[in-house]
Amino acid sequence: MLDGNVYRVLSRLHGIETDIAGPNARKVFAPLANRLVSREAPDLYNQAIMEFGALLCTPVSPQCMFCPFNEQCEALLTGRQHQLPVKSKKAPVRNRYFHYIIFRQDGRVGMRKREAKDIWQGLYDFYLVEAPQALDTEQLLEGTDLRPWLPALILGKISPVLTHQLTHQKVFARFWQVDVSDRVDPLELALKCGIAFCEPTQIHALPKPVMIDNYLKTHLF
Ligand code: SF4
């Protein structure tokens, strides 16, 4: 059985520097713990090692002077009892606010390839405005490069906020459907926004993030 106390005791006794919060921790510590466990009384052994970690080999002030292993303990012998176990801090989750504008023109939809070195690189989404916080419609449209076209763009459905959790990021996304009137040159708009107007059949074939795919299936096609 591996809990925080067991990781600490094993890491110190054997001088193991594997990050106990990392993906390899179990692979490194489990075989060692299994080798040491008493075959006759595994429950008693588990209880004992956990209590040893909680009472003697404590996180901040290990009682090495009174420890029965102080002549073998690798951490004590090498002066690393305060450095072990190694435990990395979890990277904080970063919140990102995506505001998607979905341009529609004659049954086609403006799609954009994500070229930047970022999440979903190489996949297709829509024209995106990312901001440090959630924007409402007015803030969104007034704050973009779309101002010259605004009178010729017809605002349609606006989605609620959808969330998508990634390992170290949480995406909050909203989608604005915008119909492009015939007063707008679609080529000029596409160039400005880095999008290409695609037919539904073309869009089906494009690789897309799950969130975008779900949105398309639920709200557009
Ligand atoms: S000698 Fe100190 S660091 Fe090593 S096992 Fe004992 S209490 Fe823990």
Side-chain angles (χ1 to χ4, degrees):
M1 186 183 191
L2 287 171
D3 75 346
N5 288 318
V6 177
Y7 274 125
R8 185 169 59 257
V9 170
L10 294 181
S11 145
R12 284 174 173 169
L13 274 175
H14 296 270
I16 300 170
E17 298 198 338
T18 302
D19 181 357
I20 64 168
N24 290 330
R26 186 156 279 278
K27 232 187 292 173
V28 171
F29 285 91
L32 178 60
N34 287 339
R35 249 198 341 269
L36 296 174
V37 73
S38 158
R39 304 291 159 216
E40 292 77 39
D43 291 348
L44 194 61
Y45 168 86
N46 283 329
Q47 182 72 21
I49 191 168
M50 282 192 273
E51 282 189 13
F52 176 73
L55 300 173
L56 209 67
C57 193
T58 56
V60 181
S61 310
Q63 305 293 304
C64 302
M65 201 189 290
F66 309 107
C67 175
F69 305 112
N70 59 13
E71 288 184 5
Q72 301 114 283
C73 172
E74 196 62 34
L76 182 64
L77 295 177
T78 54
R80 289 180 296 153
Q81 64 272 40
H82 294 292
Q83 285 144 35
L84 294 175
V86 173
K87 187 176 183 186
S88 62
K89 298 233 182 321
K90 271 195 180 166
V93 173
R94 174 182 164 211
N95 289 341
R96 300 183 68 177
Y97 300 91
F98 285 7
H99 309 82
Y100 280 117
I101 299 183
I102 305 168
F103 292 110
R104 302 192 306 176
Q105 190 260 344
D106 273 350
R108 300 182 304 163
V109 173
M111 301 297 294
R112 185 193 67 135
K113 187 172 184 184
R114 294 180 61 85
E115 304 279 7
K117 201 163 182 293
D118 191 3
I119 57 168
W120 305 334
Q121 186 179 16
L123 305 184
Y124 285 78
D125 59 3
F126 312 108
Y127 177 63
L128 171 65
V129 176
E130 183 172 1
Q133 72 284 321
L135 304 177
D136 61 26
T137 303
E138 203 180 320
Q139 292 166 322
L140 172 65
L141 296 179
E142 289 296 321
T144 65
D145 298 340
L146 301 173
R147 291 184 74 158
W149 284 290
L150 286 185
L153 298 175
I154 303 144
L155 191 59
K157 275 192 200 156
I158 304 170
S159 79
V161 177
L162 307 179
T163 58
H164 189 79
Q165 184 74 56
L166 300 159
T167 314
H168 298 303
Q169 301 186 26
K170 187 167 186 180
V171 175
F172 297 82
R174 268 185 103 183
F175 298 80
W176 280 257
Q177 293 182 19
V178 171
D179 287 316
V180 178
S181 79
D182 50 15
R183 286 184 287 147
V184 174
D185 176 353
L187 195 59
E188 198 185 332
L189 181 67
L191 280 175
K192 181 76 186 168
C193 298
I195 57 172
F197 281 100
C198 303
E199 301 288 346
T201 47
Q202 294 173 297
I203 295 172
H204 281 307
L206 293 176
K208 301 171 284 292
V210 172
M211 172 182 254
I212 301 298
D213 207 32
N214 287 343
Y215 179 86
L216 282 164
K217 283 181 188 146
T218 314
H219 298 278
L220 281 183
F221 304 130

